[in-house]
């Protein structure tokens, strides 16, 4: 294992090596769907590997929530991992001699873990466990940073041209930030509790204290990245709402201009259309028609445009155009 050599072994050989090897990393690939339990092959993974503790019945079982606990000389974890657009869960058992990782379907972290093993060469299984924990945090960090950059790009595009698909994509990114936060926070809480309890023990080695503190710092940074993503999505939604409100204000301003222009004209038209004796008897000449019917309305239009020109509404519409 220090050299990072990998090989495929049968269940019986894996069981033997778990009992004999001084340093073993075992990756167990389980079926994506749990079938009916009808024979030895369908026994719980821990029992098949010779780990018969009753407390390990959860190991490899689908649907398990985040977990971190000590079971005698074995530590058990259910670790969330970002895999594409979904959150997968990796089960891990760690002791002084071995680290057993179980997952449903294709290995999510196998290639990355193998690469880090060859580069960093951890000296025992516990150091390898912390390497696994750091790599799972890295999946959340990469997902949060990628989503954050996309949100900022969408926010810049909105100011150039607002489109309906932008708000739809923002909704998806907001849901993703909530998924990342909802998946990571309970896991970090249980891991923080178990690490703090172990670090308070006098027999906890100094080297492992350093590894635990590095994990805690990395966890806080990743959680801060996810919270930054949540803040960015809220800010982008607020920017979108502000743009919509600005466009609505522009429409209202234009309607106000139309009202200022046509309401006086409508009043004059209605007034001179009344069938009073004065209207029908005294205002019959062509000169009066041109003076009141045309000249008065031209004067009203001139006054309306002058008022608009002297107010902020006209200048605001000119600046928006």
């Amino acid at each position: 294992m220090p050299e990072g050599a990998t090989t495929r072994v049968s269940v019986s050989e894996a069981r033997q090596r778990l009992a004999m090897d001084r340093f073993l990393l075992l990756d167990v690939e389980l079926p994506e769907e749990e079938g009916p339990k009808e024979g030895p092959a369908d026994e719980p993974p821990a029992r098949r590997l010779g780990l018969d503790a009753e407390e390990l019945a959860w190991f490899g079982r689908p649907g398990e929530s985040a977990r971190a606990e000590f079971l005698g000389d074995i530590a058990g974890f259910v670790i969330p991992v970002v895999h594409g657009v979904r959150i997968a869960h990796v089960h891990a058992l760690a002791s002084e001699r071995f680290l057993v990782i179980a997952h449903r379907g294709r290995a999510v972290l196998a290639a990355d873990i193998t690469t880090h093993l060859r580069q960093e060469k951890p000296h025992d299984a516990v150091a390898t466990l912390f390497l696994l924990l750091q790599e799972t945090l890295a999946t959340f960090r990469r997902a949060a940073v990628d989503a954050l950059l996309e949100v900022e790009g969408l926010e810049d595009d909105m100011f150039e041209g607002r489109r309906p698909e932008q708000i739809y994509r923002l909704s998806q990114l907001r849901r993703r930030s909530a998924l990342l936060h909802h998946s990571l926070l309970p896991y970090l809480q249980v891991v923080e509790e178990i690490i703090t309890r172990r670090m308070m023990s006098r027999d906890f080695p100094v080297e492992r204290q350093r590894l635990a503190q590095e994990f805690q710092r990395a966890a806080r940074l990743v959680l801060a990245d996810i919270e930054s993503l949540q803040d960015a999505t809220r800010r982008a939604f607020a920017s979108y709402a502000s743009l919509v409100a600005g466009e609505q204000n522009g429409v209202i301003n234009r309607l106000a201009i139309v009202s200022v222009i046509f309401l006086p004209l409508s009043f004059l038209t209605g007034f001179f259309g009344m069938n009073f004796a004065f209207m029908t008897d005294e205002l019959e000449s062509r000169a009066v028609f041109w003076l009141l019917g045309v000249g008065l309305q031209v004067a009203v239009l001139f006054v309306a445009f002058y008022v608009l020109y002297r107010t902020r509404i006209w200048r605001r519409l000119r600046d928006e155009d």
Side-chain angles (χ1 to χ4, degrees):
M1 182 56 62
E3 292 78 17
T6 60
T7 183
R8 296 182 64 88
V9 297
S10 62
V11 175
S12 59
E13 186 178 352
R15 185 168 182 163
Q16 293 176 356
R17 297 189 65 172
L18 278 174
M20 299 174 57
D21 286 8
R22 294 184 300 106
F23 184 12
L24 177 67
L25 171 61
L26 180 62
D27 184 81
V28 180
E29 184 175 320
L30 301 172
E32 294 190 9
E33 297 183 0
E34 191 176 26
K37 297 181 179 180
E38 300 178 353
D42 295 310
E43 290 181 345
R47 185 176 296 275
R48 295 183 64 194
L49 294 172
L51 306 172
D52 296 331
E54 295 182 0
E55 295 87 349
L56 298 179
W58 56 267
F59 182 72
R61 187 166 57 194
E64 286 294 313
S65 58
R67 178 189 297 265
E69 58 187 10
F70 275 103
L71 307 169
D73 58 347
I74 297 178
F77 296 85
V78 177
I79 311 168
V81 182
V82 180
H83 183 51
V85 297
R86 66 183 181 90
I87 303 294
H89 285 83
V90 174
H91 296 202
L93 297 175
S95 72
E96 297 289 340
R97 298 185 300 103
F98 61 78
L99 173 61
V100 182
I101 304 171
H103 50 86
R104 294 278 168 180
R106 188 176 63 86
V108 178
L109 298 174
D112 295 333
I113 292 296
T114 302
T115 301
H116 287 305
L117 285 173
R118 293 193 178 100
Q119 293 175 349
E120 302 187 18
K121 295 182 173 58
H123 56 277
D124 60 10
V126 176
T128 307
L129 170 65
F130 279 102
L131 188 65
L132 171 67
L133 298 180
Q134 291 279 9
E135 185 58 33
T136 57
L137 285 179
T139 63
F140 279 88
R141 181 186 298 111
R142 288 192 292 266
V145 171
D146 291 344
L148 178 60
L149 293 176
E150 186 173 356
V151 169
E152 292 176 348
L154 284 172
E155 191 172 11
D156 291 338
D157 292 340
M158 284 190 303
F159 288 100
E160 297 180 359
R162 186 175 60 84
R163 298 184 300 275
E165 58 269 20
Q166 293 168 341
I167 195 68
Y168 175 72
R169 183 55 184 162
L170 278 177
S171 300
Q172 291 181 320
L173 292 171
R174 186 170 185 174
R175 291 181 60 187
R176 182 157 179 81
S177 68
L179 176 63
L180 294 176
H181 192 267
H182 180 74
S183 302
L184 184 63
L185 186 59
Y187 162 70
L188 292 183
Q189 288 177 338
V190 295
V191 174
E192 180 77 18
E193 180 180 349
I194 191 174
I195 287 179
T196 302
R197 188 166 62 247
R198 291 296 294 174
M199 289 179 65
M200 293 176 63
S201 175
R202 295 181 178 179
D203 58 351
F204 197 61
V206 176
E207 176 62 21
R208 294 181 185 176
Q209 289 185 11
R210 183 186 64 81
L211 294 174
Q213 290 171 351
E214 289 179 357
F215 171 80
Q216 290 174 320
R217 285 194 295 270
R220 287 191 290 268
L221 291 175
V222 173
L223 196 59
D225 289 337
I226 295 176
E227 291 172 352
S228 297
L229 172 61
Q230 291 179 313
D231 292 338
T233 56
R234 296 190 192 101
R235 185 181 65 246
F237 271 107
S239 299
Y240 192 91
S242 178
L243 291 174
V244 172
E247 293 180 1
Q248 291 176 344
N249 289 336
V251 173
I252 293 173
N253 289 337
R254 289 177 175 84
L255 291 176
I257 290 177
V258 173
S259 300
V260 169
I261 294 173
F262 285 97
L263 281 179
L265 299 181
S266 299
F267 170 75
L268 292 176
T269 303
F271 180 77
F272 287 105
M274 296 179 182
N275 293 322
F276 293 122
F278 178 79
M279 297 291 183
T280 58
D281 297 338
E282 301 296 333
L283 304 179
E284 293 181 346
S285 67
R286 181 175 299 180
V288 173
F289 168 77
W290 284 106
L291 177 62
L292 298 180
V294 178
L296 186 58
Q297 298 200 32
V298 171
V300 169
L301 285 176
F302 177 79
V303 172
F305 279 115
Y306 179 78
V307 171
L308 290 174
Y309 180 77
R310 300 293 296 180
T311 59
R312 296 179 180 178
I313 298 177
W314 185 274
R315 291 193 293 272
R316 187 181 305 162
L317 290 176
R318 183 183 60 188
D319 294 339
E320 290 178 358
D321 295 338

